[in-house]
Each structure stands twice: as structure tokens, then as C-alpha cells.
Amino acid sequence: MKIVILGAGQVGSTLAENLASEHHDVTLVDHNESLLRDLQDRLDVRTIVGGASYPSVLRQAGADSADMIIAVTDNDEVNIIACQVAYSLFNTPAKIARVRSQHYFIGDELLGNSTLPIDVFISPETLVTNYIKELIDHPGALQVLNFAEDKVKLVALKPHYGGPMVGKSLKNLKEYVHGVEMRVAAIFRENRSIPLSGSTVIEVGDEVFFIAASENIRLIMTALGRVSKSYKHVMIGGGGNIGSNLAAQLEKDYEVKIIDHNRENCEHLSQRLTSSIVLHGDVADKDLLFNENIEHIDVFCAVTSDDEANIMAALQAHRLGARQVMALINRRAYVDLIEGGRIDVVISPQQATISSILAQIRRGDVVGVHSLRGGAAEAIEAVAHGDKKTSKVVGRTLEEIHLPKATTIGAIVRMGEVIIPHHDTVIESEDHVILFVSDKSHVRDVERMFSVQVTYL
């Protein structure tokens, strides 16, 4: 696929790296010549220096022959105009724009219809807010990902000392979930995926990904020892768009406190929010956290626009006794540095954005993608089409399907029903199949597996 990426920031450069590794024809556009030079030295991509919305620059980048334009500059208006130009002048088939400002999201009056010729709008702040809420709604989870219109969830957790999972083999986990169907999709040990079988034993420090019907997730997490009690008290560090939207979503079910350093913004928050307590101060202020009883806080979320402030605030909250701490981190180097340390959950807006974009790029009837573990793994939702003659999966049992290496089928959704498949489960046309690919180099094989032959009508 020929793809033009506009903007070589964190998202654009990471996306270019991912797509180039999959042998897509990638052109990267940015006004920063030195940044592009560094990227071209290490990536197999073409680079163009210039304004991302300029017709001459888009023409030079190949917009007239591109399959897709992905506009992820740091300017919403440039992203929108670039897609408009690509449509009006070059008739580019697919156009994706990242739009941060919530002022553009006013229902279907502007976005979501033919007013602007953009196929997919991505709001990182909305994605991150929803993601954090899922984590808070599922105490103890490191990740919670939704598939098939929220009928299936993939959850990541780490076994703790004394927990029922530690020292148990996968085949023995059924004893703890009382007949509820679930599947362990992957286990990462020392940052590497390990082969799975019924005799695989779970160890402390493992990162275990399991998949089940959404309605059963809470019961399974309780049975596996990760849920002692529901969260009740939440403190949010940062009253920007993410912090304020998160507080608005949570205050119906939780006792919420939100901290912001800007007095004027605090006044705005106090008017917008109905039951949340708004505090004016530094999110990492030890005295403020202590005076607000941080030791009784179930979840502390640091979501300011400053990575360093988020890290320091989360570490301070952890030291003062918060039950779980989360930090929003934009810089990839920081994510790699602090993940797995004293900060329980590191939230990356880039990974959330990239996941949404990859869902539009993947072939073979892929309808959902979640990028995991810094892009090294993916969870994929694909729809099976065709019949036994035209498809590599339809009409075959799981044991008959030659899955790509490092790939597991975790669940199937058929006409709204969630099926945790076994070796003799037959995949039918129109099934939504949820797969975990622990080695991203095999994603293209998964795409090909779910592509029907040209004889399919």
C-alpha cells in the first residue's frame, strides 16, 4: 500500500517505522528537515520537506497516486485542510486526520458526514479518556481492550505473590473460574512471548493476556485474585481536556478529586463538574497530596501535558500510599524506561492513536486493531468471509487452520454470541475472529489468511 504520512512527530515517526517494517511504500512529510534526515537514516521511507497542507508538497509526496493520506501533524487545521486538498485535487481514496481539539466534535454537524471529505477522524484525547475509564472500571488490570462492539474484552494482568495463578498450569486455571469460558491468549515473560500449552506454568512477573466475553471479565478477575474490592476514590492530576473529560465520566460512579495548577481553569472545572472536588495546586505537591488523604485514594491518574510532571506526581502518589497509580506519557523513551516500575500503568496516547490508524490500514477484512507492548504485538479482530473453497479459515476447525507463528485465536463472535473456541470449533462465514499476534512480523500472514480468493462474490 502506498501511504503518505503528514507529520513526523511521535505518532508519525512511530507509524512510519511500523508500516515500513511491513514493506508498505511510505512517504513522510514534515517541515523539520533535520528530523526527516534522522528518520531517513534509519527507516526505509521517502521524506519530503515542506508544509503538509500545501498542494505542491502533497503532489511531490505522491498524493495523486497514494492509497491513503494520514494527517498527524501537531496542528488540527493543517490536518483537516491537507485531507481536503488531497480529496479536491488528487482524489486520494482514503484520508485519516488526527484532531485533538474537542471544539470540532459537535456531533454529526461537522464530523461524521460529507461536510468534510475525511474518512476517519481520530481524537487521541477521547481514546485515552475511554481507555483510562476501562482500567478504572476493572481494578487490577494493566490493559483492557474491547472487540466486537464491546462483546469481548482482552485483559492484561500480572500475577501477584500468593495469588491463585502463581505456580498453576493453564489447564488448571479452569478450577478457579467456575466453568466460565476464557482463553489465555499470550504470556510475556521477561519481555518475551513464551509458547503456550496446557502445561505452561504461570510465574510471578509474567504479563498474562486473557480473553473472554465482556460480561464474564469481572468474575474471572475476581477468581484469579486480582480484585479485592472495587475502586471508589479517584484522584486526577491535571485538569486539561483529558482530565476534565475523565472526571466528568467518572463522577457518576466514583468520588473524584481533580488537581490543576491554573486557578482560572479550576474555576471552569468547578462550574462544569457536578460532584468532583476541584483542587488548585501542583499535582506533585507532597503536602497537597498528604492533606487530601492520598493514602485512601484507590487510583491516582496523572494526565497533565507534561511527561516529567506526570512521572513525578505518580511516583509521589505511589510513595504516599495510593493503591494504584497511572501516568500519561507521550515520549516513547520515557515509556520504555518506566514501564514495569513503581508506576502501575503507563498510558501512551501514541499507541492509542496508532491502533486506530492501523485498523484502517490492515487488509484481509480486519476491522479492529490494538497495538500492544510498544508496537511489538497486536490484537486483531477480523471477519471471516467466503466458503471453504475461497477462504483459508471458513468451514475449517481450529486444528485444521494453519495459523501463522506466534498467533492465537482467542474468541469468536457469531451473530452476537461469544464463543471461546476449542480445537474442533468450526469457523463460519461472517464470524468475527479475535486473534492475538505476539510477534508483529506475522501480521501480514494473518491478513492474507483472512483474504478471500478473487472467485468469491
Side-chain angles (χ1 to χ4, degrees):
M1 185 180 292
K2 187 174 182 180
I3 301 170
V4 177
I5 300 175
L6 308 177
Q10 292 283 339
V11 169
S13 58
T14 303
L15 188 60
E17 182 178 359
N18 288 350
L19 296 179
S21 69
E22 298 172 15
H23 308 294
H24 289 282
D25 182 354
V26 177
T27 299
L28 192 56
V29 178
D30 200 275
H31 57 78
N32 188 326
E33 185 174 359
S34 62
L35 175 59
L36 290 178
R37 191 183 304 114
D38 291 341
L39 289 170
Q40 194 168 34
D41 287 343
R42 63 185 180 85
L43 302 178
D44 183 18
V45 299
R46 179 170 170 252
T47 60
I48 301 293
V49 179
S53 61
Y54 297 165
S56 60
V57 173
L58 289 173
R59 186 183 301 277
Q60 188 181 0
D64 54 347
S65 59
D67 298 299
M68 180 179 291
I69 290 281
I70 303 173
V72 288
T73 76
D74 58 5
N75 187 297
D76 288 351
E77 289 72 26
V78 168
N79 294 338
I80 293 171
I81 293 171
C83 290
Q84 176 72 65
V85 172
Y87 169 79
S88 300
L89 297 185
F90 305 115
N91 198 27
T92 308
K95 299 157 291 295
I96 299 175
R98 177 178 64 180
V99 180
R100 286 195 176 105
S101 175
Q102 297 301 299
H103 293 291
Y104 286 109
F105 293 88
I106 50 175
D108 290 336
E109 298 170 35
L110 183 61
L111 308 185
N113 63 15
S114 58
T115 306
L116 291 173
I118 300 174
D119 300 290
V120 179
F121 285 91
I122 295 175
S123 169
E125 292 174 344
T126 300
L127 293 172
V128 168
T129 301
N130 294 339
Y131 180 67
I132 296 174
K133 186 177 185 300
E134 284 280 12
L135 289 172
I136 292 174
D137 287 341
H138 297 84
L142 300 177
Q143 286 185 307
V144 181
L145 307 174
N146 293 309
F147 295 92
E149 299 179 342
D150 201 22
K151 294 182 178 64
V152 174
K153 291 187 189 295
L154 177 71
V155 177
L157 52 82
K158 283 192 176 182
H160 60 286
Y161 287 102
M165 285 196 296
V166 177
K168 302 296 190 303
S169 64
L170 296 187
K171 63 183 177 183
N172 291 332
L173 286 183
K174 296 179 181 179
E175 301 172 9
Y176 297 92
V177 294
H178 308 293
V180 174
E181 290 283 350
M182 60 163 281
R183 169 69 53 81
V184 173
I187 297 177
F188 284 83
R189 182 172 297 161
E190 297 179 353
N191 291 322
R192 292 186 179 182
S193 174
I194 65 172
L196 298 183
S197 68
S199 59
T200 301
V201 175
I202 297 174
E203 300 178 1
V204 171
D206 286 350
E207 189 172 350
V208 182
F209 288 83
F210 71 87
I211 193 167
S214 297
E215 62 194 34
N216 294 329
I217 290 295
R218 178 78 181 186
L219 186 151
I220 292 169
M221 293 187 68
T222 302
L224 297 181
R226 290 301 301 177
V227 181
S228 55
K229 62 176 181 178
S230 298
Y231 293 148
K232 183 178 181 182
H233 305 282
V234 178
M235 183 177 285
I236 301 169
N241 286 332
I242 293 176
S244 59
N245 290 336
L246 182 61
Q249 286 194 32
L250 294 177
E251 64 179 359
K252 303 170 188 175
D253 303 307
Y254 302 88
E255 295 181 11
V256 177
K257 294 181 179 181
I258 183 168
I259 306 170
D260 196 77
H261 71 282
N262 185 294
R263 183 176 293 276
E264 183 178 346
N265 192 45
C266 286
E267 294 175 357
H268 169 73
L269 289 170
S270 64
Q271 294 172 5
R272 178 190 177 190
L273 302 172
T274 56
S275 61
S276 300
I277 297 174
V278 181
L279 304 168
H280 175 242
D282 183 349
V283 296
D285 186 332
K286 176 182 176 181
D287 292 334
L288 174 61
L289 296 177
F290 183 78
N291 291 334
E292 292 301 325
N293 302 310
I294 187 67
E295 70 275 13
H296 298 305
I297 293 295
D298 295 310
V299 184
F300 178 88
C301 303
V303 291
T304 76
S305 58
D306 186 319
D307 284 357
E308 289 83 357
N310 291 339
I311 293 170
M312 293 304 298
L315 290 174
Q316 188 76 277
H318 172 83
R319 191 172 70 87
L320 293 174
R323 183 174 163 192
Q324 186 178 49
V325 297
M326 306 179 185
L328 182 74
I329 307 295
N330 286 285
R331 293 185 63 180
R332 184 174 175 180
Y334 285 177
V335 173
D336 296 338
L337 182 64
I338 66 176
E339 209 163 28
R342 294 183 179 180
I343 296 176
D344 299 296
V345 179
V346 177
I347 300 154
S348 170
Q350 283 74 27
Q351 287 302 315
T353 302
I354 289 169
S355 294
S356 294
I357 294 172
L358 289 177
Q360 310 305 317
I361 295 172
R362 293 284 175 252
R363 299 173 177 175
D365 292 316
V366 172
V367 296
V369 175
H370 289 285
S371 181
L372 304 168
R373 300 189 62 80
E378 285 188 13
I380 295 174
E381 176 184 347
V383 182
H385 287 133
D387 53 32
K388 197 166 184 177
K389 293 182 179 179
T390 58
S391 168
K392 297 181 180 67
V393 296
V394 174
R396 293 170 172 80
T397 63
L398 257 62
E399 64 181 359
E400 292 175 329
I401 296 172
H402 300 292
L403 285 172
K405 188 178 179 182
T407 302
T408 306
I409 293 179
I412 296 171
V413 179
R414 179 177 299 159
M415 299 181 66
E417 179 189 359
V418 178
I419 301 169
I420 303 300
H422 300 282
H423 70 283
D424 56 351
T425 302
V426 177
I427 293 181
E428 299 179 3
S429 185
E430 304 304 324
D431 281 353
H432 284 242
V433 183
I434 318 302
L435 306 100
F436 193 101
V437 187
S438 56
D439 183 347
K440 189 188 166 185
S441 64
H442 298 287
V443 165
R444 294 296 292 273
D445 297 328
V446 173
E447 291 177 342
R448 284 190 286 267
M449 188 173 69
F450 280 87
S451 297
V452 295
Q453 297 178 12
V454 293
T455 54
Y456 173 65
L457 297 177

